Amino acid sequence: MKNLFLLTFLLFTFNSFSQKPCEYSANVTDSIGTYKATKGYIMSEKSMDSSSSYVFFSLISTDDMPTLNLQLIKKSKNFISANCFDKNSRLILQLANGKIVTMYHIDQESCGTLIRGENSSNNRINTGIFMFIKGSIEELKKSPVTMMRIKYLNGSEDFVVGNELISEMDGQKYEPDTFFINTLKCIE
């Protein structure tokens, strides 16, 4: 009986300490209000021939108003066309439990910035801010994400969201499917 109690205690202790701590790029409270932003997290990474693309997520809370910051970076030797965000843009997430969560872009048009890199490479960086709708946060806490679709002003792009990604960029391990499960607590 003593061993069973000890084993149970160790398992609960391990579980409580095994949760990942929140990592912030900003966490400010002042007379104006409160602002929290989690560090950027790689959700997708694609490399083919002379081009690559990266999708980063970051959660932001401004005076208890949660939003998702999506950053899309594309690199190529060829010209990279602009994918613009506008008030009709959406981020559609398919969850493992079969539910679909749709997030709406704020009412601000953004087509990103084209930057000429070394060796005549092109880099396009675009950032979009998406709002959670009622009930979506609860759904995202319950189930991993399996697919995501980014709907732009001028088309859409689909991404398979894996349960493990070893980044070629920084060599770190990411678990994009459980990003919301692990990170939403950081902005509540």
Side-chain angles (χ1 to χ4, degrees):
M1 184 70 176
K2 198 176 193 180
N3 288 339
L4 181 61
F5 176 75
L6 181 63
L7 180 62
T8 305
F9 175 76
L10 288 174
L11 286 175
F12 281 121
T13 304
F14 179 75
N15 261 352
S16 64
F17 289 114
S18 67
Q19 292 182 358
K20 295 179 182 175
C22 295
E23 295 183 37
Y24 296 101
S25 60
N27 189 358
V28 178
T29 300
D30 60 16
S31 61
I32 298 172
T34 303
Y35 178 82
K36 290 181 184 181
T38 62
K39 286 188 174 181
Y41 195 86
I42 297 177
M43 293 297 290
S44 177
E45 187 177 85
K46 296 179 187 177
S47 294
M48 297 184 87
D49 297 327
S50 62
S51 64
S52 57
S53 70
Y54 306 90
V55 177
F56 292 87
F57 278 5
S58 173
L59 295 175
I60 296 174
S61 176
T62 307
D63 295 327
D64 296 324
M65 166 87 169
T67 55
L68 175 73
N69 186 56
L70 180 149
Q71 187 174 57
L72 183 63
I73 301 172
K74 293 189 176 193
K75 300 178 179 187
S76 180
K77 295 278 184 193
N78 302 318
F79 176 75
I80 303 170
S81 60
N83 289 322
C84 300
F85 292 120
D86 73 342
K87 66 180 180 178
N88 296 314
S89 294
R90 307 283 183 262
L91 175 64
I92 303 162
L93 303 168
Q94 168 104 35
L95 306 182
N97 64 6
K99 296 195 177 178
I100 294 176
V101 171
T102 302
M103 300 177 73
Y104 297 89
H105 191 265
I106 62 171
D107 192 7
Q108 180 179 343
E109 192 169 305
S110 167
C111 294
T113 305
L114 184 64
I115 301 168
R116 182 69 88 171
E118 295 177 9
N119 303 326
S120 299
S121 67
N122 293 306
N123 302 295
R124 183 169 293 279
I125 301 169
N126 198 0
T127 300
I129 300 171
F130 292 86
M131 297 177 291
F132 292 94
I133 60 170
K134 186 177 180 180
S136 62
I137 289 178
E138 290 74 24
E139 290 299 326
L140 290 167
K141 285 181 182 178
K142 293 179 195 174
S143 182
V145 177
T146 58
M147 295 280 295
M148 76 176 151
R149 171 174 286 168
I150 303 171
K151 184 181 174 295
Y152 306 103
L153 169 69
N154 49 341
S156 64
E157 192 171 3
D158 293 333
F159 299 86
V160 174
V161 179
N163 61 353
E164 183 176 294
L165 181 140
I166 306 295
S167 174
E168 292 179 13
M169 184 186 340
D170 63 11
Q172 292 187 30
K173 177 183 165 186
Y174 294 87
E175 296 171 341
D177 66 333
T178 56
F179 169 79
F180 291 104
I181 293 170
N182 296 330
T183 312
L184 278 167
K185 66 180 176 6
C186 298
I187 61 165
E188 293 182 319

